[in-house]
């Protein structure tokens, strides 16, 4: 009897598929049951190979799950690229890209889609929108990366709808990525309105079965449009002709668990592999994308104004040194809220800090609680009533008396969204207060339910974190108040100013998108800050130019490329011993890259472990070469120290 040697991708620290033997040939991209050690697992085949000469015994494939390939060659090529670039195991990447039921070897479910409503467009396409649509449409048969840079409220989603309409007319599929689950519902609603075809949705907020049915609908070609978050990028789509990335600057596109890939960057790679256009859309592009557009690598499409001559919101500073905040809000902010509500409009109070208060302090001796597992101060919460560390999730009872001096004069300092909600409820008892943060949206569909009165246009006050800062289109929202603009300027991360500018610009853009001119009030103790004053001028190109110039002085990205090697262990010494050995190996290569560290992580002790880091800075090709020579990096261990690698890190943690 003939034997066939089959390559199989399996989960684990394997950069190449393992070889198993089968009595029958098996094509690539099918699920099989195989033994790995003492476990029986699901793997994905990668075709036939020659009998390995180095293996004395080869395990047999236990069973074949599928009758046909469920993973296309295109998807395997994309995963192969990601594995090479991010130094991550192939099997882990490929299997994690599948919905849980399919990954676990369950039967392939039937496809499920929603039908588009095919309603005619009620908006007049502006000249700028028309030029952008035409430019992308003319590239349908070849690769081209476009940066759609438009001010907030300039109609970028309407361009998406028109591009989707034209792609479907050519019998092509479209992949549309959004950064967060909270943005999916509104995007689906707006795209479905004009869609003459079938739509599928995939994100982690859906049940496993629903995600599996969306996967099947897209991979079978039943779904014309697939909308989802970052992992949706890997879904097979046989007729794929266009990729759209909404809010391309958003950090949620960077995966922070397992392989730390960027879905935005891999979307560009996928478009290039398939020779199709990809559109990156944002009012505040990442400096990497903005810089590539400046160099001509991406083609920039501009939307410089809102449709129907709607003016940009009026932005003004409130000097919190003079108009001192009470319970987080100045008198000027309170007056603006009352005037807005009296006009039957909506208000958004933005504070990017959940919980009740960031600090509990003893007024008698100055004691401040510390997390027992982290170098962090836990946040005071009211529901549940506890001290809650947002880094390791540890919760403890709020003390009744100070453990240091036994005093009972414990007070909460600073504002969180919960405390701000209480203050607003007291001052505006006649107005509905809607709080949107991770605490209020933890349950499935809670986000959409909370926003129902907002989308209905009812006068209300929203209190929220960055979950409300981008992508949302609230027709009756006219006033935005930034409660603490100083919060974003205090980080040591070299990207902190970029993230701060993007967040502040995005949240300001929620105001006045439909009716009266909106207003944005920015409470700050630093009214003379150059960055805040640049934001007031609402010229992102000028801001980006200044940030690029600042970065180039120190050779930070995008003029160079980064790799972050982190180490963690239960004690400190092994962390720095391991990082020291790695740094020594890299220096021995005599490469031109710059090595920063070993150094403690910005938060050295987190979740019961000590963290250290090593930064590599240099040309992309050299950084990649160094990593491959000194790696492999998957699940790398130095004794009891766990090493992790993040290529092109977004945060230096």
């Amino acid at each position: 009897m003939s034997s066939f040697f089959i390559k199989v991708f399996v989960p684990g620290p394997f950069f190449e598929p393992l070889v198993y033997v089968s009595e029958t040939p098996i094509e690539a991209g099918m699920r099989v049951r195989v033994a790995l050690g003492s476990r029986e697992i699901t793997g994905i085949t990668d075709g036939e190979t020659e009998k390995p000469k180095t293996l004395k015994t080869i395990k047999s494939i236990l069973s074949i799950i599928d009758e046909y390939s469920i993973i296309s060659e295109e998807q395997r090529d994309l995963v192969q690229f990601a594995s090479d670039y991010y130094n991550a195991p192939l099997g882990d990447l490929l299997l994690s890209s599948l919905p849980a039921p399919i990954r676990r070897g369950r039967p392939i479910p039937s496809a499920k889609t929603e039908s588009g409503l095919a309603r005619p467009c009620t908006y007049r396409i502006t000249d700028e929108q028309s030029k952008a649509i035409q430019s992308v449409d003319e590239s349908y048969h070849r690769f081209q990366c476009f940066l759609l840079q438009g001010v907030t409220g300039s109609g970028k989603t309407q361009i998406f709808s028109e591009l989707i309409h034209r792609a479907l007319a050519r019998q092509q599929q479209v992949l549309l990525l959004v950064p967060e689950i909270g943005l999916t519902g509104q995007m689906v609603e707006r795209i479905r309105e004009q869609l003459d075809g079938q739509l599928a949705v995939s994100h982690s907020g859906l049940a496993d079965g629903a995600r599996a049915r969306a996967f099947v609908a897209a991979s079978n070609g039943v779904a014309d449009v697939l909308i989802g978050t970052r992992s949706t990028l890997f879904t097979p789509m046989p007729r794929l002709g266009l990729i759209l990335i909404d809010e391309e600057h958003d950090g949620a596109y960077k995966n922070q668990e397992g392989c730390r890939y960027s879905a935005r960057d891999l979307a560009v790679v996928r478009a290039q592999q398939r020779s199709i256009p990809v559109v990156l859309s944002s009012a505040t592009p990442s400096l990497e994308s903005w810089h590539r557009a400046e160099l001509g690598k991406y083609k920039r499409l501009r939307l410089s104004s809102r449709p129907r001559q709607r003016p940009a919101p009026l932005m003004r500073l409130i000097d919190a040194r003079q108009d001192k905040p009470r319970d987080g809000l100045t008198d000027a902010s309170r007056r603006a809220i009352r005037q807005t509500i009296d006009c039957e409009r909506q208000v958004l109070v933005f504070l990017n800090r959940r919980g009740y208060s960031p600090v509990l302090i003893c007024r008698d001796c100055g004691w401040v609680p510390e997390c027992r597992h982290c170098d962090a101060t836990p946040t005071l919460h009211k529901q549940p009533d506890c001290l809650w560390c947002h880094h390791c999730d540890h919760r403890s009872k709020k003390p009744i008396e100070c453990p240091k001096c036994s005093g009972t004069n414990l007070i909460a300092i600073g504002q969180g969204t919960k405390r701000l909600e209480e203050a607003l409820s007291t001052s505006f008892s006649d107005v509905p207060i809607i709080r949107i943060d991770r605490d209020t949206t933890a349950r499935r569909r809670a986000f959409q339910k909370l926003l129902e009165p907002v989308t209905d246009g009812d006068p209300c006050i929203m209190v929220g974190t960055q979950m409300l800062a981008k992508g949302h289109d609230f027709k009756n929202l006219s006033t935005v108040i930034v409660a603490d603009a100083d919060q974003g300027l205090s980080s040591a991360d070299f990207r902190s100013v970029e993230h701060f500018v993007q967040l502040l610009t995005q949240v300001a853009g929620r105001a006045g998108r439909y009716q009266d001119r909106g207003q944005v009030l920015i409470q700050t103790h630093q009214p003379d800050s150059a960055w805040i004053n640049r934001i007031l001028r609402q010229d992102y190109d000028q801001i980006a130019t200044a940030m690029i110039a600042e970065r180039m002085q120190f050779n930070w990205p995008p003029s160079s490329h980064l790799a972050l090697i982190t180490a963690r262990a239960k004690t400190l010494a092994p962390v720095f011993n391991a990082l020291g050995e790695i740094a020594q190996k890299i220096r021995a290569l005599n490469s031109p890259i710059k090595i920063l560290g070993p150094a403690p992580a910005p938060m050295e002790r987190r979740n019961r472990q000590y963290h250290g880091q090593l930064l590599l800075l240099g040309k992309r090709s050299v950084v990649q070469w160094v990593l491959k020579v000194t790696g492999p990096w998957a699940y790398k261990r130095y004794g009891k120290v766990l090493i992790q690698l993040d290529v092109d890190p977004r945060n230096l943690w």
Side-chain angles (χ1 to χ4, degrees):
M1 182 181 294
S2 299
S3 294
F4 299 88
F5 297 94
I6 309 297
K7 294 181 291 182
V8 180
F9 294 114
V10 297
F14 309 110
F15 282 80
E16 297 291 339
L18 304 186
V19 177
Y20 290 81
V21 67
S22 170
E23 296 178 356
T24 59
I26 308 174
E27 66 177 294
M30 295 174 63
R31 293 177 300 164
V32 291
R33 298 295 293 176
V34 296
L36 183 64
S38 60
R39 296 179 296 147
E40 186 178 312
I41 61 168
T42 301
I44 304 289
T45 59
D46 190 38
E48 295 183 35
T49 187
E50 298 293 325
K51 181 179 179 180
K53 296 178 181 179
T54 56
L55 293 178
K56 294 181 180 179
T57 59
I58 302 177
K59 293 182 178 181
S60 297
I61 288 176
L62 302 176
S63 62
I64 303 171
I65 298 173
D66 301 313
E67 297 179 358
Y68 57 88
S69 175
I70 66 165
I71 302 294
S72 66
E73 183 178 356
E74 175 196 341
Q75 297 314 108
R76 296 197 302 277
D77 288 344
L78 181 64
V79 171
Q80 180 70 64
F81 176 90
S83 173
D84 289 342
Y85 185 78
Y86 294 106
N87 280 256
L90 266 168
D92 271 0
L93 256 174
L94 186 58
L95 287 159
S96 66
S97 71
L98 302 175
I102 297 176
R103 183 171 64 246
R104 294 168 185 157
R106 294 177 185 169
I108 298 293
S110 57
K112 185 176 181 181
T113 60
E114 300 178 54
S115 297
L117 302 177
R119 291 171 180 161
C121 176
T122 58
Y123 302 101
R124 185 182 70 82
I125 300 294
T126 66
D127 290 341
E128 284 186 324
Q129 288 175 321
S130 181
K131 288 178 182 177
I133 292 165
Q134 193 63 30
S135 185
V136 178
D137 198 47
E138 288 172 354
S139 302
Y140 76 90
H141 58 289
R142 59 184 171 85
F143 168 72
Q144 175 66 63
C145 184
F146 296 91
L147 177 61
L148 179 59
Q149 183 179 342
V151 298
T152 52
S154 58
K156 294 183 286 293
T157 305
Q158 185 56 48
I159 290 178
F160 282 6
S161 288
E162 182 60 30
L163 289 173
I164 289 170
H165 174 75
R166 296 188 180 199
L168 267 56
R170 294 190 293 267
Q171 302 298 307
Q172 294 178 323
Q173 291 175 293
V174 178
L175 173 62
L176 197 169
L177 296 186
V178 295
E180 295 180 0
I181 296 170
L183 297 177
T184 309
Q186 193 170 66
M187 180 63 76
V188 168
E189 186 178 313
R190 294 166 70 184
I191 294 299
R192 186 171 175 240
E193 187 78 13
Q194 297 171 38
L195 179 67
D196 186 11
Q198 298 298 307
L199 181 146
V201 182
S202 178
H203 56 74
S204 60
L206 297 174
D208 288 344
R211 296 184 73 185
R213 289 191 289 273
F215 177 91
V216 173
S219 59
N220 287 353
V222 175
D224 299 301
V225 179
L226 177 63
I227 299 178
T229 47
R230 61 174 178 261
S231 62
T232 311
L233 170 73
F234 295 99
T235 306
M237 299 180 73
R239 297 184 286 111
L240 182 62
L242 176 66
I243 301 176
L244 305 171
I245 313 293
D246 191 36
E247 307 292 355
E248 69 86 28
H249 67 278
D250 198 288
Y253 286 121
K254 179 74 172 180
N255 189 43
Q256 296 295 343
E257 296 179 0
C259 171
R260 300 192 173 188
Y261 66 85
S262 165
R264 178 201 63 200
D265 295 346
L266 287 181
V268 177
V269 173
R270 184 173 184 181
Q272 193 168 24
Q273 289 178 340
R274 197 175 175 90
S275 297
I276 61 173
V278 55
V279 180
L280 311 180
S281 170
S282 177
T284 54
S286 64
L287 285 194
E288 286 79 6
S289 297
W290 189 90
H291 189 56
R292 289 186 183 114
E294 287 291 293
L295 296 175
K297 296 179 180 179
Y298 293 174
K299 185 172 181 179
R300 182 185 272 115
L301 307 172
R302 288 194 183 276
L303 301 177
S304 58
S305 60
R306 293 180 168 185
R308 290 181 280 198
Q309 305 303 312
R310 294 194 195 98
L314 178 66
M315 301 179 69
R316 64 187 179 95
L317 294 181
I318 298 176
D319 189 343
R321 298 171 304 180
Q322 304 298 324
D323 187 356
K324 298 187 183 298
R326 291 181 296 107
D327 296 324
L329 292 172
T330 63
D331 289 340
S333 294
R334 293 174 191 274
R335 288 193 298 270
I337 292 173
R338 175 49 65 190
Q339 290 167 2
T340 303
I341 296 299
D342 288 346
C343 293
E344 298 189 338
R345 299 283 189 264
Q346 296 169 340
V347 179
L348 167 59
V349 182
F350 173 74
L351 179 64
N352 203 25
R353 187 191 296 120
R354 66 188 174 105
Y356 184 79
S357 173
V359 179
L360 182 71
I361 189 170
C362 175
R363 183 173 280 179
D364 296 331
C365 71
W367 171 83
V368 174
E370 295 179 353
C371 175
R372 67 172 66 177
H373 306 310
C374 303
D375 292 334
T377 301
T379 299
L380 177 63
H381 281 249
K382 281 296 187 74
Q383 293 177 341
D385 190 13
C386 67
L387 292 170
W388 189 343
C389 179
H390 292 168
H391 298 280
C392 70
D393 208 37
H394 178 262
R395 307 180 197 187
S396 59
K397 290 184 66 175
K398 175 188 171 184
I400 299 174
E401 61 180 34
C402 174
K404 186 176 180 181
C405 70
S406 300
T408 57
N409 198 5
L410 300 175
I411 60 169
I413 302 294
Q415 302 291 320
T417 49
K418 174 61 180 173
R419 191 174 190 179
L420 195 53
E421 177 191 27
E422 286 187 4
L424 286 164
S425 297
T426 301
S427 300
F428 304 95
S429 57
D430 57 326
V431 184
I433 312 294
I434 300 170
R435 178 164 59 97
I436 306 286
D437 56 27
R438 281 180 57 190
D439 297 328
T440 61
T441 60
R443 293 184 179 181
R444 187 173 293 169
R445 299 187 182 88
F447 191 93
Q448 287 76 12
K449 192 171 183 63
L450 283 168
L451 286 183
E452 282 178 3
V454 183
T455 53
D456 290 342
D458 301 338
C460 63
I461 301 172
M462 286 179 283
V463 181
T465 59
Q466 62 182 350
M467 297 177 71
L468 285 175
K470 58 231 170 186
H472 297 289
D473 196 32
F474 302 129
K475 295 184 178 181
N476 204 27
L477 176 63
S478 67
T479 297
V480 169
I481 296 171
V482 180
D484 184 4
D486 306 322
Q487 184 183 352
L489 289 174
S490 57
S491 173
D493 193 321
F494 75 95
R495 283 197 174 95
S496 62
V497 171
E498 178 187 0
H499 297 166
F500 166 73
V501 169
Q502 289 167 341
L503 189 58
L504 209 56
T505 304
Q506 290 284 340
V507 73
R510 300 312 105 201
R513 295 165 72 97
Y514 281 86
Q515 299 179 18
D516 306 329
R517 185 178 190 183
Q519 62 174 338
V520 180
L521 280 63
I522 302 174
Q523 297 183 172
T524 176
H525 289 85
Q526 305 176 58
D528 299 325
S529 165
W531 293 114
I532 290 179
N533 281 280
R534 286 186 179 116
I535 293 171
L536 292 180
R537 290 194 285 272
Q538 302 186 59
D539 186 345
Y540 189 74
D541 283 342
Q542 184 188 64
I543 296 172
T545 300
M547 287 191 288
I548 290 285
E550 189 177 88
R551 298 266 188 97
M552 290 184 70
Q553 291 181 27
F554 304 99
N555 199 32
W556 287 112
S559 58
S560 64
H561 295 275
L562 274 181
L564 174 65
I565 301 171
T566 59
R568 69 177 191 265
K570 291 184 178 180
T571 55
L572 184 60
V575 169
F576 283 91
N577 290 339
L579 289 175
E581 287 182 26
I582 294 171
Q584 190 173 356
K585 286 182 181 179
I586 295 172
R587 290 191 178 97
L589 298 174
N590 292 319
S591 71
I593 67 169
K594 187 175 182 180
I595 304 172
L596 302 178
M603 184 179 293
E604 187 173 33
R605 192 171 65 96
R606 187 168 75 253
N607 200 13
R608 306 185 188 204
Q609 293 189 314
Y610 289 89
H611 294 69
Q613 61 185 36
L614 195 67
L615 265 177
L616 309 183
L617 184 67
K619 288 186 177 180
R620 186 195 303 271
S621 58
V622 181
V623 171
Q624 284 287 317
W625 174 76
V626 165
L627 293 175
K628 284 176 172 54
V629 170
T630 56
W633 290 98
Y635 309 109
K636 190 79 173 182
R637 280 190 176 274
Y638 282 75
K640 295 182 179 180
V641 181
L642 180 65
I643 305 293
Q644 285 187 316
L645 173 66
D646 190 352
V647 178
D648 301 334
R650 178 175 168 85
N651 299 306
L652 301 185
W653 285 94

